[in-house]
Amino acid sequence: MVPDQKGLEAQSAEEQENLAGEAWPDGNVCSCEEHGDEKGSCHDDGGREDSCPCRDHDDSEKDHCHCHDEADDDEDHCHYHSEGHAGHFHGHHHLHGASCGCHDEELSEEEEKRARWEIVIGAVLFLGAVAVKLIRGDSYTWPYIVVLALAYLILGWRVLKEAFENLMHGEWMDENFLMSLATLAAFAIQEFPEAVGVMLFFRIGEAFEDLASERSRRRIMEAVDLRPETVTVEKSGGSETVPAGSVRPGTVFLVRPGDRVPLDGTVLEGESYLDTSAVTGEPVPVRVEPGTAVLSGGVNTSGLLRVRADKPLSESMVSRILRSVENAQESKPQIDRFITRFARIYTPCVVGLALLTAFVMPLLRGEAFLPWIYTAISFLVMSCPCALVLSVPLAFFCGIGAASSRGILFKGGASMEQLAGVTAAVMDKTGTITRGTFEVRKVLPAPGIGEEELLRLAAACEEASTHPIAQSIRRAAQEAALDVPAPEAAQEIPGKGIRARVDGREIACGNRALLALGGAGEVPEDTEPGAEVFLAEGRRYLGRLVISDEVKEGAGEAIRRLHDLGIKTVMLTGDGASGAQSVAEEVGIEDWRAHLLPDQKVDELQKIRSAGEKVLFVGDGINDAPVLAGADVGAAMGSGADAAIEAADLVCMNSDPASVPEAVVLSRRVRRTAWQNVIFALAFKAVVMILGVTGIYSNMWLAVFADTGVAVLCILNSVRLLLGTKKNA
């Protein structure tokens, strides 16, 4: 049957899938020299390409994984000159799995313990030598120098080794080289305590940064890694526990009370409530029964369930969530790229300033070289842009983790940064603002026929139809406990509706055009919002049913919050004008366009963009995939079609419209945090450098804080994003 509204001529599923596939390319190209002809083959477990994490190199190869620094600054590479890592010189493990370029070898647990003991032993020797010297009042004699030199070697051998190895690869402008040069120069001018102290606090700060970064990363990954290790599957005569990755679609598995659903599937037997808060962020348990589709990651709270696996582990929701977070840094935000380029200029400039300070300033002012060399050494220490290049990506990573815990999955930092700047939110209607489930709202019979009789005849005509509107009519008749007869004959009229013989009566059930074919008169004009199904017997008009979708709870509040954030709202729909207007007025949407085919939605979106708006599109259907791909930012509802989810930049797992303004608020908070880090780090370094170059105050301990201390503060500022989401931007 066909409701009385202009139909949607959707593009074919194959065309939509192709468009969706083009919209979301799989990752970046690995340009490692070590891969030879296999460039581009660095895949994670999910099949996506990383920006060369070099996970597959053995230990001997890791030190030599240095990729070409191409002219294209947007291309991802491995070493610190690459996009997103420039200037990141500490031994931190990258948030997305790669190492940073200075400490390329991942430290084992035993090596980490050894590194901690090095710091402890070096600190004891350093503090002991300084304390004895202060107590005895001696000058720095050879015994003191030997002890301090030993402490320096224990603390700094890793830094010196990395500096030498990087120098051999032409990477001299890294923190290891700068720190080595500064401390060795301090030894040369007999500033022994400063040399050892700088190396000590550098190692302490580095260890603290690693700890803060790794703990924040571990917290995020533990929160989203819901993948099971094993699954209990049915076998003849009982059950068997098997690895989760070995289960194929169609396999029946058991989910006992308290167990987490391991794979996406469909309930075959049993009833229960699932706690899906870890997946969708929805705190209310969801009832499931035979025929209910379930997502992996939810916890079974009561009865035993028999579930048929619909997807393998690699395609189930728990794996998709984990991949989304793991790959979050593949798409780098513009601020990260800006800091990368800035770091390439900043560090050499500060090194040049240090040389001028050491050799030109004393000549210009006619002063001794030694104090100015000391100031230059301080410049070398503070020239490392660690706080910038570490805290900015960490801010976005923490933001993505915070969003994941609320059922909002971002596909990268760039998506989050783009969302923070949107000025218009364009939304689909069905499945996004409304539930996508039709209900009979009104039964309007003509004079001489009752409501129940009209509904009974309509349900009989729609007996064999699978259309959602036909299902809603049959459901309404069932709820009214009507005795619906089977039609004696039925004929579908394409694009118009159904003609059927019911109780010997020739009934037409469909749109206005169908009734016009039969010559039915006195058909009223459209006055009700929603789809209208008309009925006639021969030339006699019998009445109509008004069927409409239900607006999602909280949709109006979500639209109001978007307006409060300064974002204008537009609704694009293929439904009729009356239904579109009714929904728009109910939820408070400012502008709406109806009767749109998928390609017309794209055209309307481009018109909005050409007016200077930065557009977020929110949709859920396969016909929304082209629009999602064409928007500045695309958001898909988690209950939507796979093509829409693949084409989107972020996914609202709970399909709640309230997730949209929440994602905007969080994105703006992340962007603000990143800029706070940048401004604070640059301002502090600038003040310390001005104090030093003007001769007002030059102190190497202050320089250490300007480097390591500021980096730690910026990291802690970024980690705050994990503590909660503010309600306003």
Side-chain angles (χ1 to χ4, degrees), residues 522-594:
E522 300 180 2
V523 179
E525 295 296 325
D526 292 350
T527 57
E528 299 289 340
E532 294 187 306
V533 177
F534 297 88
L535 284 87
E537 181 179 5
R539 294 177 176 272
R540 178 193 174 195
Y541 170 70
L542 298 179
R544 56 186 167 141
L545 309 180
V546 179
I547 297 153
S548 62
D549 199 355
E550 181 182 359
V551 173
K552 287 183 178 180
E553 184 179 354
E557 174 64 17
I559 300 301
R560 185 193 65 76
R561 287 191 65 195
L562 287 173
H563 292 163
D564 290 343
L565 292 169
I567 299 173
K568 66 179 294 185
T569 53
V570 181
M571 184 176 71
L572 305 181
T573 179
D575 289 357
S578 59
Q581 181 178 5
S582 174
V583 171
E585 290 176 350
E586 181 175 351
V587 300
I589 288 179
E590 300 167 319
D591 189 12
W592 54 270
R593 290 92 187 266

Coordinates of all heavy atoms in Angstrom, one line a residue, residues 522-594:
E522 N -15.9 13.2 -3.1 CA -16.0 13.8 -1.8 C -14.8 13.4 -0.9 O -14.9 13.2 0.3 CB -17.3 13.4 -1.1 CG -18.5 13.9 -1.8 CD -19.8 13.6 -1.0 OE1 -19.7 13.0 0.1 OE2 -20.9 13.8 -1.6
V523 N -13.6 13.2 -1.5 CA -12.4 12.9 -0.7 C -11.9 14.2 -0.2 O -11.5 15.1 -1.0 CB -11.3 12.2 -1.6 CG1 -10.1 12.0 -0.8 CG2 -11.9 11.0 -2.2
P524 N -11.8 14.4 1.1 CA -11.3 15.6 1.7 C -9.9 16.0 1.4 O -9.1 15.1 1.1 CB -11.6 15.4 3.2 CG -11.5 14.0 3.4 CD -12.0 13.3 2.2
E525 N -9.6 17.3 1.5 CA -8.2 17.7 1.3 C -7.4 17.3 2.5 O -7.9 17.1 3.6 CB -8.1 19.2 1.0 CG -8.8 19.7 -0.2 CD -8.1 19.1 -1.5 OE1 -6.9 19.0 -1.4 OE2 -8.8 18.8 -2.4
D526 N -6.0 17.3 2.3 CA -5.1 17.0 3.4 C -5.3 18.1 4.5 O -5.1 19.2 4.2 CB -3.7 16.9 3.0 CG -3.4 15.8 2.1 OD1 -4.3 14.9 2.0 OD2 -2.3 15.7 1.4
T527 N -5.6 17.6 5.7 CA -5.7 18.6 6.8 C -5.0 18.1 8.0 O -4.8 18.8 9.0 CB -7.2 18.8 7.2 OG1 -7.8 17.6 7.5 CG2 -7.9 19.5 6.0
E528 N -4.5 16.8 8.0 CA -3.9 16.2 9.2 C -2.4 16.0 8.9 O -2.1 15.6 7.8 CB -4.6 14.9 9.5 CG -6.0 15.0 9.9 CD -6.3 15.7 11.2 OE1 -5.3 15.7 12.0 OE2 -7.4 16.2 11.5
P529 N -1.5 16.3 9.9 CA -0.1 16.0 9.7 C 0.1 14.5 9.7 O -0.5 13.7 10.5 CB 0.6 16.6 10.9 CG -0.5 16.7 11.9 CD -1.8 16.9 11.1
G530 N 1.0 14.0 8.8 CA 1.3 12.6 8.8 C 0.8 12.0 7.5 O 0.3 12.6 6.6
A531 N 1.0 10.7 7.4 CA 0.5 9.9 6.2 C -1.0 9.6 6.3 O -1.4 9.2 7.4 CB 1.3 8.7 6.0
E532 N -1.7 9.7 5.2 CA -3.1 9.4 5.2 C -3.4 8.3 4.3 O -3.0 8.2 3.1 CB -3.9 10.7 4.8 CG -3.8 11.8 5.8 CD -4.7 12.9 5.5 OE1 -4.6 13.4 4.4 OE2 -5.5 13.3 6.4
V533 N -4.2 7.3 4.8 CA -4.6 6.1 4.0 C -6.1 6.2 3.8 O -6.9 6.3 4.8 CB -4.2 4.8 4.7 CG1 -4.7 3.6 3.9 CG2 -2.7 4.7 4.9
F534 N -6.5 6.3 2.5 CA -7.9 6.5 2.2 C -8.6 5.2 1.8 O -7.9 4.3 1.3 CB -8.1 7.5 1.0 CG -7.6 8.9 1.3 CD1 -6.2 9.2 1.1 CD2 -8.4 9.8 1.8 CE1 -5.8 10.5 1.4 CE2 -8.0 11.1 2.1 CZ -6.7 11.4 1.9
L535 N -9.9 5.0 2.1 CA -10.6 3.8 1.8 C -11.9 4.2 1.0 O -12.5 5.3 1.3 CB -11.0 3.0 3.0 CG -9.9 2.2 3.6 CD1 -9.1 3.0 4.6 CD2 -10.4 0.9 4.3
A536 N -12.2 3.4 0.0 CA -13.5 3.6 -0.7 C -14.0 2.3 -1.1 O -13.3 1.3 -1.3 CB -13.2 4.5 -1.9
E537 N -15.4 2.2 -1.3 CA -16.1 1.0 -1.8 C -16.7 1.5 -3.1 O -17.7 2.2 -3.1 CB -17.1 0.5 -0.8 CG -17.8 -0.8 -1.3 CD -18.8 -1.3 -0.3 OE1 -19.0 -0.6 0.8 OE2 -19.4 -2.3 -0.6
G538 N -16.1 1.1 -4.2 CA -16.6 1.5 -5.5 C -16.4 3.0 -5.6 O -15.3 3.5 -5.4
R539 N -17.5 3.8 -5.8 CA -17.4 5.2 -5.9 C -17.7 5.9 -4.5 O -17.6 7.1 -4.4 CB -18.5 5.8 -6.9 CG -18.2 5.4 -8.3 CD -19.3 5.9 -9.2 NE -19.0 5.6 -10.6 CZ -18.2 6.4 -11.4 NH1 -17.8 7.5 -10.9 NH2 -18.0 6.1 -12.7
R540 N -18.0 5.1 -3.5 CA -18.4 5.6 -2.2 C -17.1 5.8 -1.3 O -16.3 4.9 -1.1 CB -19.3 4.7 -1.5 CG -19.7 5.2 -0.1 CD -20.5 4.1 0.7 NE -20.7 4.5 2.0 CZ -21.1 3.6 3.0 NH1 -21.2 2.3 2.7 NH2 -21.3 4.0 4.2
Y541 N -16.9 7.0 -0.8 CA -15.8 7.3 0.0 C -16.1 6.8 1.5 O -17.2 7.2 2.0 CB -15.5 8.8 0.0 CG -14.5 9.2 1.1 CD1 -13.1 8.9 1.0 CD2 -14.9 10.0 2.2 CE1 -12.2 9.3 2.0 CE2 -14.0 10.4 3.2 CZ -12.7 10.0 3.1 OH -11.8 10.4 4.0
L542 N -15.2 6.0 2.0 CA -15.5 5.4 3.4 C -14.8 6.1 4.5 O -15.3 6.1 5.6 CB -15.1 3.9 3.4 CG -15.8 3.0 2.4 CD1 -15.2 1.6 2.5 CD2 -17.3 3.0 2.7
G543 N -13.7 6.7 4.3 CA -13.0 7.4 5.4 C -11.4 7.3 5.2 O -10.9 6.9 4.1
R544 N -10.7 7.7 6.2 CA -9.3 7.7 6.1 C -8.7 7.4 7.5 O -9.3 7.7 8.5 CB -8.8 9.0 5.6 CG -9.2 10.2 6.4 CD -8.9 11.5 5.8 NE -9.6 12.6 6.4 CZ -9.1 13.8 6.6 NH1 -7.8 14.1 6.3 NH2 -9.8 14.8 7.2
L545 N -7.4 6.9 7.4 CA -6.6 6.7 8.6 C -5.4 7.7 8.6 O -4.8 7.8 7.6 CB -6.1 5.3 8.7 CG -7.2 4.2 8.6 CD1 -6.5 2.8 8.7 CD2 -8.3 4.3 9.6
V546 N -5.2 8.3 9.7 CA -4.0 9.2 9.8 C -2.9 8.5 10.6 O -3.1 8.1 11.7 CB -4.3 10.5 10.5 CG1 -3.1 11.4 10.6 CG2 -5.5 11.2 9.8
I547 N -1.8 8.3 9.9 CA -0.7 7.5 10.5 C 0.6 8.4 10.6 O 0.9 9.0 9.6 CB -0.4 6.3 9.7 CG1 -1.6 5.4 9.7 CG2 0.8 5.5 10.2 CD1 -1.8 4.5 8.5
S548 N 1.2 8.5 11.7 CA 2.4 9.3 11.8 C 3.4 8.6 12.8 O 3.1 7.7 13.5 CB 2.0 10.7 12.3 OG 1.4 10.6 13.6
D549 N 4.6 9.2 12.7 CA 5.7 8.7 13.5 C 5.7 9.4 14.9 O 5.2 10.5 15.0 CB 7.0 9.0 12.8 CG 8.2 8.2 13.3 OD1 7.9 7.4 14.3 OD2 9.2 8.2 12.7
E550 N 6.3 8.8 15.9 CA 6.3 9.4 17.2 C 7.6 10.1 17.4 O 8.7 9.6 17.2 CB 6.1 8.3 18.3 CG 6.1 8.8 19.7 CD 6.0 7.7 20.7 OE1 5.9 6.5 20.3 OE2 6.0 8.0 21.9
V551 N 7.5 11.3 17.9 CA 8.7 12.1 18.2 C 9.4 11.5 19.4 O 8.8 11.1 20.4 CB 8.4 13.6 18.5 CG1 9.6 14.4 19.0 CG2 7.8 14.2 17.3
K552 N 10.8 11.4 19.3 CA 11.6 10.8 20.4 C 11.5 11.7 21.6 O 11.5 12.9 21.5 CB 13.0 10.7 19.9 CG 13.3 9.6 18.9 CD 14.8 9.5 18.6 CE 15.1 8.3 17.7 NZ 16.5 8.2 17.4
E553 N 11.4 11.0 22.7 CA 11.5 11.8 24.0 C 12.8 12.5 24.1 O 13.9 12.0 23.9 CB 11.3 10.8 25.1 CG 11.2 11.4 26.5 CD 11.0 10.4 27.6 OE1 10.9 9.2 27.3 OE2 11.1 10.9 28.8
G554 N 12.7 13.8 24.5 CA 13.9 14.6 24.6 C 14.4 15.3 23.4 O 15.4 16.0 23.4
A555 N 13.7 15.0 22.2 CA 14.1 15.7 21.0 C 14.0 17.2 21.1 O 14.8 18.0 20.6 CB 13.3 15.1 19.8
G556 N 12.9 17.7 21.7 CA 12.6 19.1 21.8 C 13.7 19.8 22.7 O 14.2 20.8 22.4
E557 N 14.1 19.1 23.8 CA 15.1 19.6 24.7 C 16.5 19.7 23.9 O 17.2 20.6 24.1 CB 15.2 18.8 25.9 CG 16.3 19.1 26.8 CD 16.2 20.5 27.5 OE1 15.1 21.1 27.4 OE2 17.2 21.0 28.0
A558 N 16.7 18.7 23.1 CA 18.0 18.6 22.4 C 18.1 19.8 21.4 O 19.1 20.5 21.2 CB 18.1 17.3 21.6
I559 N 16.9 20.1 20.7 CA 16.9 21.2 19.8 C 17.1 22.6 20.5 O 17.8 23.5 20.1 CB 15.6 21.3 19.0 CG1 15.4 19.9 18.2 CG2 15.5 22.5 18.1 CD1 16.5 19.7 17.2
R560 N 16.5 22.7 21.7 CA 16.6 23.9 22.5 C 18.1 24.1 22.9 O 18.6 25.2 22.8 CB 15.7 23.8 23.7 CG 15.7 25.1 24.5 CD 15.1 24.9 25.9 NE 15.9 24.0 26.7 CZ 17.0 24.3 27.3 NH1 17.5 25.6 27.2 NH2 17.7 23.4 28.1
R561 N 18.8 23.0 23.3 CA 20.2 23.1 23.7 C 21.0 23.6 22.5 O 22.0 24.3 22.7 CB 20.7 21.8 24.3 CG 20.1 21.5 25.7 CD 20.8 20.4 26.3 NE 22.2 20.7 26.5 CZ 23.2 19.8 26.8 NH1 22.9 18.5 26.8 NH2 24.4 20.1 27.0
L562 N 20.7 23.0 21.3 CA 21.5 23.5 20.1 C 21.3 24.9 19.9 O 22.3 25.7 19.6 CB 21.0 22.6 18.9 CG 21.5 21.2 18.9 CD1 20.8 20.5 17.7 CD2 23.0 21.1 18.8
H563 N 20.1 25.4 20.0 CA 19.8 26.9 19.9 C 20.6 27.7 20.9 O 21.2 28.7 20.6 CB 18.3 27.2 20.0 CG 17.6 26.6 18.8 ND1 16.2 26.5 18.9 CD2 17.9 26.2 17.6 CE1 15.8 26.0 17.7 NE2 16.8 25.8 16.9
D564 N 20.7 27.2 22.2 CA 21.4 27.8 23.2 C 22.9 27.9 22.9 O 23.6 28.8 23.3 CB 21.2 27.1 24.6 CG 19.8 27.3 25.1 OD1 19.1 28.2 24.6 OD2 19.4 26.5 26.0
L565 N 23.4 26.9 22.1 CA 24.8 26.9 21.8 C 25.1 27.7 20.5 O 26.2 27.8 20.0 CB 25.2 25.4 21.5 CG 25.2 24.5 22.7 CD1 25.4 23.0 22.2 CD2 26.4 24.9 23.6
G566 N 24.0 28.4 20.0 CA 24.2 29.3 18.9 C 24.2 28.6 17.6 O 24.7 29.1 16.5
I567 N 23.5 27.4 17.5 CA 23.5 26.6 16.3 C 22.1 26.6 15.8 O 21.1 26.3 16.5 CB 23.9 25.1 16.6 CG1 25.4 25.1 17.1 CG2 23.7 24.2 15.4 CD1 25.8 23.7 17.6
K568 N 21.9 27.0 14.5 CA 20.6 27.0 13.9 C 20.2 25.6 13.4 O 21.1 24.8 13.2 CB 20.6 27.9 12.7 CG 21.5 27.5 11.5 CD 21.4 28.5 10.3 CE 20.0 28.5 9.7 NZ 20.0 29.3 8.5
T569 N 19.0 25.3 13.4 CA 18.5 23.9 13.1 C 17.7 23.9 11.8 O 16.8 24.8 11.6 CB 17.7 23.3 14.3 OG1 16.7 24.2 14.6 CG2 18.6 23.1 15.5
V570 N 17.9 22.8 11.0 CA 17.1 22.6 9.8 C 16.8 21.1 9.7 O 17.6 20.3 10.0 CB 17.9 23.0 8.5 CG1 17.1 22.8 7.3 CG2 18.4 24.5 8.7
M571 N 15.6 20.8 9.3 CA 15.2 19.4 9.1 C 14.9 19.2 7.6 O 14.2 19.9 6.9 CB 13.9 19.1 9.9 CG 13.4 17.7 9.8 SD 12.0 17.3 10.8 CE 10.7 18.2 9.9
L572 N 15.6 18.1 7.1 CA 15.4 17.7 5.7 C 14.7 16.3 5.7 O 15.1 15.4 6.4 CB 16.7 17.6 5.0 CG 17.6 18.8 4.9 CD1 18.9 18.5 4.1 CD2 16.9 20.0 4.3
T573 N 13.6 16.2 5.0 CA 12.8 14.9 5.0 C 12.2 14.6 3.7 O 11.9 15.5 2.9 CB 11.8 14.9 6.1 OG1 11.1 13.7 6.1 CG2 10.8 16.1 5.9
G574 N 12.0 13.4 3.4 CA 11.2 13.0 2.2 C 9.7 12.9 2.5 O 9.0 12.6 1.6
D575 N 9.3 13.1 3.7 CA 7.9 13.1 4.1 C 7.2 14.3 3.5 O 7.8 15.2 3.0 CB 7.7 13.0 5.6 CG 8.1 11.7 6.2 OD1 8.5 10.8 5.4 OD2 8.1 11.5 7.4
G576 N 5.8 14.2 3.6 CA 5.0 15.3 3.1 C 5.2 16.6 4.0 O 5.7 16.5 5.1
A577 N 4.7 17.7 3.4 CA 4.8 19.0 4.1 C 4.1 19.0 5.4 O 4.6 19.6 6.4 CB 4.4 20.1 3.1
S578 N 2.9 18.5 5.5 CA 2.1 18.6 6.7 C 2.8 17.9 7.8 O 2.9 18.4 9.0 CB 0.7 18.1 6.5 OG 0.7 16.7 6.1
G579 N 3.3 16.6 7.6 CA 4.0 15.9 8.6 C 5.3 16.5 9.0 O 5.6 16.6 10.2
A580 N 6.0 17.1 8.1 CA 7.3 17.7 8.4 C 7.0 19.0 9.2 O 7.7 19.2 10.2 CB 8.0 18.1 7.1
Q581 N 6.0 19.8 8.8 CA 5.7 21.0 9.6 C 5.3 20.7 11.0 O 5.7 21.3 12.0 CB 4.6 21.8 8.9 CG 4.3 23.1 9.6 CD 3.2 23.9 8.8 OE1 2.7 23.4 7.8 NE2 2.9 25.1 9.3
S582 N 4.5 19.6 11.2 CA 4.0 19.2 12.5 C 5.2 18.9 13.4 O 5.3 19.3 14.6 CB 3.0 18.1 12.4 OG 2.7 17.6 13.6
V583 N 6.1 18.0 12.9 CA 7.3 17.6 13.7 C 8.2 18.8 14.0 O 8.6 19.0 15.2 CB 8.0 16.5 13.0 CG1 9.3 16.2 13.8 CG2 7.2 15.2 12.9
A584 N 8.4 19.6 13.0 CA 9.3 20.8 13.2 C 8.7 21.7 14.3 O 9.4 22.2 15.2 CB 9.5 21.5 11.9
E585 N 7.4 22.0 14.2 CA 6.8 22.8 15.2 C 6.8 22.2 16.6 O 7.0 22.9 17.6 CB 5.4 23.2 14.8 CG 5.3 24.1 13.6 CD 3.9 24.3 13.1 OE1 3.0 23.6 13.7 OE2 3.7 25.2 12.3
E586 N 6.6 20.9 16.7 CA 6.6 20.2 18.0 C 7.9 20.3 18.7 O 8.0 20.5 19.9 CB 6.2 18.8 17.8 CG 6.1 18.0 19.1 CD 5.5 16.6 18.9 OE1 5.1 16.3 17.8 OE2 5.6 15.8 19.9
V587 N 9.0 20.1 18.0 CA 10.4 20.1 18.6 C 11.1 21.4 18.6 O 12.1 21.6 19.2 CB 11.3 19.0 18.0 CG1 10.6 17.7 18.2 CG2 11.6 19.3 16.5
G588 N 10.5 22.4 17.8 CA 11.1 23.7 17.8 C 12.2 24.0 16.7 O 13.0 24.9 16.9
I589 N 12.2 23.2 15.7 CA 13.2 23.4 14.6 C 12.8 24.6 13.8 O 11.6 24.8 13.4 CB 13.2 22.1 13.7 CG1 13.9 21.0 14.4 CG2 13.9 22.4 12.4 CD1 14.0 19.7 13.7
E590 N 13.8 25.4 13.4 CA 13.6 26.7 12.8 C 13.2 26.6 11.3 O 12.3 27.4 10.9 CB 14.8 27.6 12.9 CG 15.3 27.8 14.4 CD 16.7 28.3 14.5 OE1 17.5 27.9 13.7 OE2 16.9 29.2 15.3
D591 N 13.8 25.7 10.6 CA 13.5 25.6 9.2 C 13.4 24.1 8.8 O 14.0 23.3 9.4 CB 14.7 26.3 8.4 CG 14.4 26.4 6.9 OD1 13.3 26.2 6.5 OD2 15.4 26.7 6.2
W592 N 12.6 23.9 7.8 CA 12.4 22.5 7.3 C 12.1 22.5 5.8 O 11.6 23.4 5.2 CB 11.2 21.8 8.1 CG 9.9 22.5 8.0 CD1 9.5 23.5 8.9 CD2 8.9 22.4 7.0 NE1 8.3 24.0 8.5 CE2 7.9 23.3 7.3 CE3 8.8 21.6 5.9 CZ2 6.7 23.5 6.6 CZ3 7.6 21.7 5.1 CH2 6.6 22.7 5.5
R593 N 12.5 21.4 5.2 CA 12.2 21.2 3.7 C 11.7 19.7 3.6 O 12.3 18.8 4.1 CB 13.5 21.3 2.9 CG 14.0 22.8 2.8 CD 15.0 23.1 3.9 NE 15.4 24.5 4.1 CZ 16.5 25.0 3.5 NH1 17.2 24.3 2.6 NH2 16.8 26.2 3.8
A594 N 10.6 19.6 2.8 CA 9.9 18.3 2.7 C 10.0 17.8 1.3 O 10.4 18.5 0.4 CB 8.5 18.4 3.2

